[in-house]
Amino acid sequence: MFDFTVITTSYNSELTIEETLKSVLNQKEISFEYIIIDGVSTDNTLNIVKYYKDTFKHISFKIISEKDRGVYDAMNKGIDMAKGKVIAILNSDDLFAYDTVLKDIFLLYSQGYDIIYSDLLLKDFKLKNIVRNWKVKKFPSSGFKNGWHPAHPSFFMSKNSYDLVKGFNLTYTISADFDLMLRSFLSKKLKHVYFEKYTTIMRLGGMSNNSILNIIKGNIQVLRSLKNNGFNFVYTYPFKRFWLKIFQYKIK
């Protein structure tokens, strides 16, 4: 068994995946496997991935390219395959912020934590300018219902914990990451800790915020997840969430 499994899902990601690969494969002082779940890309994505697999032969590197039911289905496939004690999910347009992220996260896991969540930098497409500074902060007493939630790209959880919460619920096509984190934090069996450091850099333009329609659809799914997990009268949630976010953005 490895200390860590890193999972990257991809589809036609030739413009960004090389930086993602480098940030993973350059991780130091930790044993890990790397799993790429590709949705049958038609561009140069797979050629780039195969080049790096051949370059980093000392790392367990698996590539699966097949049709899936969306990004969360691909993530579930990677989780099912994972042989690491802790799992990181890194999108094909994101990257780790420094080269000992996995080592630092595993140290906290070794102290008895099941969930480690940390801070996130959102940058423009060329990764030159910071657009949003997401300081997640510690889990508040009010929990998720008042707009707080971790950043999924900088959220790490043990393999056993993913098995316990049964992965991503595919009925949430945009907000399954929110739903999974909510269910994980609600579980009394899982111990979580805030790591106050930027571990991940995310490019602007993710699935949940790339259009007004997706923003609306994502918020509807978030409300459904909250209701399905026992929260009532949460229809002001999107406004609370927006209020927390607005101060994290850098206005030029």
Side-chain angles (χ1 to χ4, degrees), residues 174-188:
I174 292 179
S175 299
D177 50 354
F178 174 91
D179 175 73
L180 178 135
M181 292 188 294
L182 173 60
R183 288 185 285 113
S184 301
F185 272 75
L186 289 175
S187 174
K188 295 180 180 179

Side-chain angles (χ1 to χ4, degrees), residues 118-124 129-137 149 151 154 194-202 204 243-251:
S118 53
D119 297 329
L120 174 74
L121 286 175
L122 186 65
K123 292 190 174 184
D124 61 18
N129 299 306
I130 297 173
V131 178
R132 180 182 175 190
N133 181 345
W134 191 341
K135 294 286 289 184
V136 177
K137 300 181 180 180
H149 65 85
S154 55
Y194 169 48
F195 180 45
E196 192 175 355
K197 195 165 184 177
Y198 295 103
T199 60
T200 311
I201 298 169
M202 177 181 177
L204 186 66
W243 184 253
L244 290 175
K245 284 183 176 181
I246 194 170
F247 296 105
Q248 299 169 352
Y249 282 90
K250 292 183 176 292
I251 307 298

Side-chain angles (χ1 to χ4, degrees), residues 72-166:
Y72 297 118
D73 182 37
M75 290 177 183
N76 279 341
K77 288 181 182 180
I79 292 165
D80 288 342
M81 293 173 57
K83 295 182 180 179
K85 297 175 184 176
V86 185
I87 292 176
I89 297 177
L90 191 70
N91 294 328
S92 58
D93 50 0
D94 302 337
L95 56 154
F96 290 128
Y98 58 97
D99 61 11
T100 57
V101 166
L102 300 186
K103 174 191 173 185
D104 290 348
I105 298 300
F106 191 78
L107 179 61
L108 289 168
Y109 164 78
S110 300
Q111 293 172 12
Y113 294 103
D114 306 288
I115 300 167
I116 301 98
Y117 58 101
S118 53
D119 297 329
L120 174 74
L121 286 175
L122 186 65
K123 292 190 174 184
D124 61 18
F125 188 81
K126 294 184 178 180
L127 301 176
K128 290 184 177 180
N129 299 306
I130 297 173
V131 178
R132 180 182 175 190
N133 181 345
W134 191 341
K135 294 286 289 184
V136 177
K137 300 181 180 180
K138 291 183 179 179
F139 182 68
S141 58
S142 59
F144 278 66
K145 65 181 180 181
N146 284 327
W148 180 92
H149 65 85
H152 185 246
S154 55
F155 176 88
F156 306 84
M157 191 160 74
S158 71
K159 163 69 172 174
N160 289 339
S161 300
Y162 270 107
D163 292 341
L164 178 68
V165 300
K166 300 181 180 178

Side-chain angles (χ1 to χ4, degrees), residues 6-8 20-21 24-25 32-36 60-62:
V6 181
I7 299 166
T8 293
T20 303
L21 291 164
V24 174
L25 298 171
F32 68 95
E33 63 173 348
Y34 193 20
I35 301 175
I36 305 283
S60 177
F61 199 139
K62 300 174 184 176

